Amino acid sequence: MRSAIDPTTPVVGNLLLLDSEGKRIAVQYFSPEWSTVTAQANYEKSVFAKTSRTNARGEAEITMFDNVVVVYKFFGDLMFFVTGSQDENEIILYTVLQAFFESISLLLRGGVEKKTVLENLDLVLLAMDETVDGGVILETDPATIASRVAMRGADSDIPLAEQTLSQAFASAREQLTKSLLK
């Protein structure tokens, strides 16, 4: 992935959201080294084993694991992880983690727990997509991520290049409806 983009652009290796037992809730991998589900599951187990005994409640922690920088935070019965290569800036990875966590908190109105996340898994996955795409960081402002996921402001004139796919479809449907009703 790194060769396809500018080498100075920060790249995220993956976003992981695991439960308190280390089981997958929502994940996105952007590196070919984790191309199989088996490799992903083994990686998730090893990251969980390495970090589960630490005290990352409230504030995020940073560790180096298998030549990968892992930034993580535990909240309730959930574990949030963002990883990058050993050359990535930890502060940028921390910013991505905070943006993802806070956007989920905004979308779920503070109810960040496993049951609520599973009930709103579509919003969580969209928040992941709005935060990072293909390893490239798209947005780090939680309010912006949450508003894009919730499609607030879709009626306003957002340039087509800045619209999400669902916003573009909603806008196109609205314009088609207007033209058919004239």
Side-chain angles (χ1 to χ4, degrees):
M1 180 67 194
R2 181 61 104 163
S3 62
I5 57 174
D6 182 358
T8 61
T9 302
V11 176
V12 171
N14 57 52
L15 285 172
L16 305 173
L17 179 53
L18 306 177
D19 67 9
S20 58
E21 298 169 358
K23 294 197 172 46
R24 174 187 290 203
I25 294 177
V27 298
Q28 282 193 344
Y29 287 87
F30 307 110
S31 176
E33 64 188 284
W34 300 297
S35 59
T36 66
V37 175
T38 305
Q40 293 173 2
N42 290 338
Y43 180 74
E44 291 163 19
K45 285 178 189 173
S46 59
V47 167
F48 174 76
K50 171 84 172 170
T51 60
S52 64
R53 290 180 286 282
T54 62
N55 189 20
R57 306 232 178 248
E59 287 298 317
E61 295 281 331
I62 300 170
T63 189
M64 187 74 137
F65 176 71
D66 285 344
N67 294 326
V68 174
V69 176
V70 180
V71 183
Y72 59 99
K73 178 177 186 168
F74 304 155
F75 189 84
D77 54 357
L78 297 172
M79 305 169 100
F80 294 81
F81 297 89
V82 174
T83 68
S85 74
Q86 61 187 1
D87 301 326
E88 291 303 332
N89 185 325
E90 295 88 356
I91 296 172
I92 292 175
L93 295 176
Y94 169 79
T95 304
V96 171
L97 176 73
Q98 282 300 110
F100 177 55
F101 171 76
E102 290 175 17
S103 65
I104 297 299
S105 183
L106 286 170
L107 288 164
L108 302 180
R109 296 181 180 93
V112 183
E113 58 185 26
K114 182 178 177 180
K115 181 181 181 215
T116 311
V117 165
L118 289 172
E119 289 171 352
N120 296 285
L121 192 57
D122 56 337
L123 298 177
V124 173
L125 294 172
L126 285 170
M128 284 180 146
D129 288 340
E130 289 294 336
T131 307
V132 179
D133 184 30
V136 178
I137 302 164
L138 299 177
E139 186 63 63
T140 57
D141 178 41
T144 302
I145 294 167
S147 69
R148 286 181 180 171
V149 168
M151 291 183 17
R152 283 186 218 111
D155 297 331
S156 65
D157 294 328
I158 302 171
L160 188 59
E162 294 180 17
Q163 291 183 359
T164 63
L165 189 59
S166 49
Q167 286 175 321
F169 281 134
S171 177
R173 182 176 52 239
E174 183 180 312
Q175 291 176 3
L176 181 65
T177 304
K178 284 180 184 177
S179 67
L180 290 175
L181 293 176
K182 285 184 179 179

